[in-house]
Amino acid sequence: MKIDSDDFRVKPGHRVKLKDWATKIDPLHASEDKYQAHLDEHKQELAELQSRLWAEDRRALLLIFQAMDAAGKDSAIKHVMSGVNPQGCQVFSFKHPSALELDHDFLWRSTCRLPERGRIGIFNRSYYEDVLVVRVHPEILAAQALPPELIERKDIWDGRYRSITDLESHLHRNGTEIVKFFLHVSKGEQRRRFLARIDDPEKNWKFSQSDLKERALWGKYHDAYEQCLGATSSKHAPWFVVPADRKKDARLIVSQVVVDRLRDMNLKYPTTTPQRRRELLSIRHKLSD
Ligand code: ATP
Ligand code: MG
C-alpha cells in the first residue's frame, strides 16, 4: 500500500489538536509477510540513499524522535535503521541533563552531537524536551540556573521556540536537513504496554516508577506537545505525527518519510571529471605492468 508522507506532516503555522490526529489507522499491511516485504523495500532504498549521502559528504540528515513513554521510539529506530551502514549513522539519547550540561544554554548539549557531513544523526529525545518535560515541570525549569528575570518572562516558551526554529533554519542553510517525528500513542495503548512491562519479567527493566508519574500528567504533556508542534513545524524541519498504537504501521510510516526526505535531497555520487578519468586510466595502466 502506498504511504503518503504528507498525510502525517504538520503544515507550518497549523494549530495542532492531538485528538484530531489518529493514533491508529487502517493497517498498512494485510499480513506479516507483506509488512516485512514493505519494510525491507524501504530499508534497501534507505541503504542506497545513505550510501550516496556518505559518498557526497556535503550534507547531513538529522532525525528527531519525541514521544510519551512506551510509544516505541527505540524500536522504530532499531527497525528502520537496521539496514544502514553503522559507519554513517549516529544515535544519541537525551536524558536528564548532567551538571555540566545544566551549566550551558539548553541547546548546547545537542549542538555538540549534530551529525557530521555525510551522516544520518538520530536524536532519541532532543532539545525539544526543554519545551516539553521542562514546561510540564516548573521545578525542572527552576533548576536550570537561569537568571530569575529570564525564568519569570511570560514569553519564555515562545523564546525557546524561536531559539529552536532559528537553529533549525541555520542548520538548513548549512547543509543539514531535519525531520521530526512525534510518535502518537493513545493513553489506552500506553497502559497496555506498561502492563506488559510489568507482567513480562524480560521487560521489567523497561518500567520505572517515574513512568507512572508522567502518565498522570498526560493532559499537560499533550498541551505542551500541541503548542510545540504548531510553533516549530517548518518547511525545512517538518514535524510528522505518526500513529503509533500499531508499531509496525509506525515503522512503515517513519521509514517512508525518511526515504522521501533523502530522495528529495537529490543526492548524487561525486562525478569524475575527464581529467581525473585520464589520471585514473594512467594509474590503471601502471598497475597492470
Ligand atoms: P523509554 O521510552 O524506553 O522509557 P526514555 O526516552 O523515556 O525511554 P528514560 O531513561 O526512561 O528514556 O527517560 C529519560 C528521561 O529524561 C525522560 O523522562 C525525559 O523527559 C528526561 N529528559 C530528557 N531531556 C531532559 C531535559 N532537558 N530536562 C529534564 N529532563 C529531561
Ligand atoms: Mg522513559
Side-chain angles (χ1 to χ4, degrees), residues 237-282:
W239 274 107
F240 291 84
V241 177
V242 179
D245 276 2
R246 266 196 288 261
K247 286 189 170 187
K248 288 179 181 161
D249 289 338
R251 289 168 200 158
L252 288 177
I253 294 166
V254 167
S255 50
Q256 180 75 64
V257 170
V258 178
V259 163
D260 288 349
R261 190 70 201 93
L262 283 166
R263 258 197 228 136
D264 286 349
M265 285 167 75
N266 197 19
L267 299 157
K268 299 240 165 31
Y269 287 109
T271 46
T272 309
T273 59
Q275 189 197 342
R276 174 88 179 124
R277 189 75 203 130
R278 277 194 299 279
E279 279 165 19
L280 286 171
L281 285 175
S282 130

Side-chain angles (χ1 to χ4, degrees), residues 9-286:
R9 185 169 62 89
V10 178
K11 316 281 178 295
H14 178 78
R15 262 179 77 88
V16 176
K17 280 278 148 224
L18 282 173
K19 66 175 172 41
D20 300 336
W21 291 77
T23 57
K24 194 190 275 187
I25 47 172
D26 290 339
L28 291 168
H29 44 89
S31 67
E32 176 64 29
D33 285 354
K34 290 213 165 100
Y35 156 73
Q36 203 51 59
H38 199 166
L39 187 64
D40 286 348
E41 230 176 76
H42 285 178
K43 277 161 60 177
Q44 251 175 35
E45 187 162 6
L46 189 53
E48 160 62 19
L49 288 162
Q50 184 213 14
S51 160
R52 290 187 205 196
L53 179 74
W54 177 261
E56 189 199 71
D57 202 18
R58 288 290 178 274
R59 288 172 283 174
L61 178 66
L62 173 64
L63 308 176
I64 292 182
F65 288 84
Q66 287 288 155
M68 299 296 286
D69 283 310
K73 285 182 282 104
D74 291 12
S75 80
I77 293 167
K78 177 170 126 187
H79 284 83
V80 171
M81 303 309 291
S82 61
V84 302
N85 181 350
Q87 198 161 228
C89 191
Q90 300 151 320
V91 187
F92 293 102
S93 297
F94 292 93
K95 312 229 177 226
H96 298 279
S98 67
L100 174 66
E101 288 167 349
L102 284 173
D103 242 355
H104 292 266
D105 73 279
F106 79 96
L107 291 173
W108 180 77
R109 66 173 179 163
S110 306
T111 45
C112 314
R113 294 173 171 90
L114 288 167
E116 295 149 310
R117 298 187 197 288
R119 304 206 185 203
I120 299 177
I122 296 172
F123 283 1
N124 182 352
R125 301 193 186 274
S126 63
Y127 44 81
Y128 279 100
E129 290 293 319
D130 288 87
V131 293
L132 297 165
V133 66
V134 179
R135 187 165 192 174
V136 170
H137 290 278
E139 71 281 9
I140 299 184
L141 178 63
Q144 288 194 333
L146 288 161
E149 67 275 17
L150 294 186
I151 293 194
E152 282 152 19
R153 282 182 73 120
K154 284 207 172 54
D155 61 355
I156 183 167
W157 307 113
D158 287 335
R160 288 192 174 196
Y161 296 147
R162 231 185 55 226
S163 299
I164 289 174
T165 48
D166 284 352
L167 170 73
E168 294 178 344
S169 304
H170 163 77
L171 291 173
H172 171 70
R173 286 192 297 272
N174 286 275
T176 296
E177 302 299 338
I178 304 178
V179 175
K180 304 174 300 207
F181 298 102
F182 170 60
L183 301 191
H184 187 23
V185 75
S186 65
K187 210 173 172 188
E189 181 58 27
Q190 189 198 52
R191 179 174 172 273
R192 272 186 285 283
R193 292 184 191 172
F194 279 174
L195 291 176
R197 288 177 178 191
I198 291 166
D199 294 342
D200 179 350
E202 290 192 355
K203 290 186 175 166
N204 283 173
W205 66 273
K206 290 190 186 179
F207 190 75
S208 85
Q209 200 65 34
S210 71
D211 290 349
L212 215 57
K213 281 204 215 126
E214 300 314 303
R215 176 178 165 82
L217 299 168
W218 187 274
K220 287 194 171 164
Y221 270 105
H222 267 209
D223 287 347
Y225 267 109
E226 286 178 347
Q227 299 207 34
C228 163
L229 297 174
T232 59
S233 201
S234 61
K235 181 167 180 282
H236 300 303
W239 274 107
F240 291 84
V241 177
V242 179
D245 276 2
R246 266 196 288 261
K247 286 189 170 187
K248 288 179 181 161
D249 289 338
R251 289 168 200 158
L252 288 177
I253 294 166
V254 167
S255 50
Q256 180 75 64
V257 170
V258 178
V259 163
D260 288 349
R261 190 70 201 93
L262 283 166
R263 258 197 228 136
D264 286 349
M265 285 167 75
N266 197 19
L267 299 157
K268 299 240 165 31
Y269 287 109
T271 46
T272 309
T273 59
Q275 189 197 342
R276 174 88 179 124
R277 189 75 203 130
R278 277 194 299 279
E279 279 165 19
L280 286 171
L281 285 175
S282 130
I283 296 167
R284 190 180 201 289
H285 185 68
K286 285 183 194 139

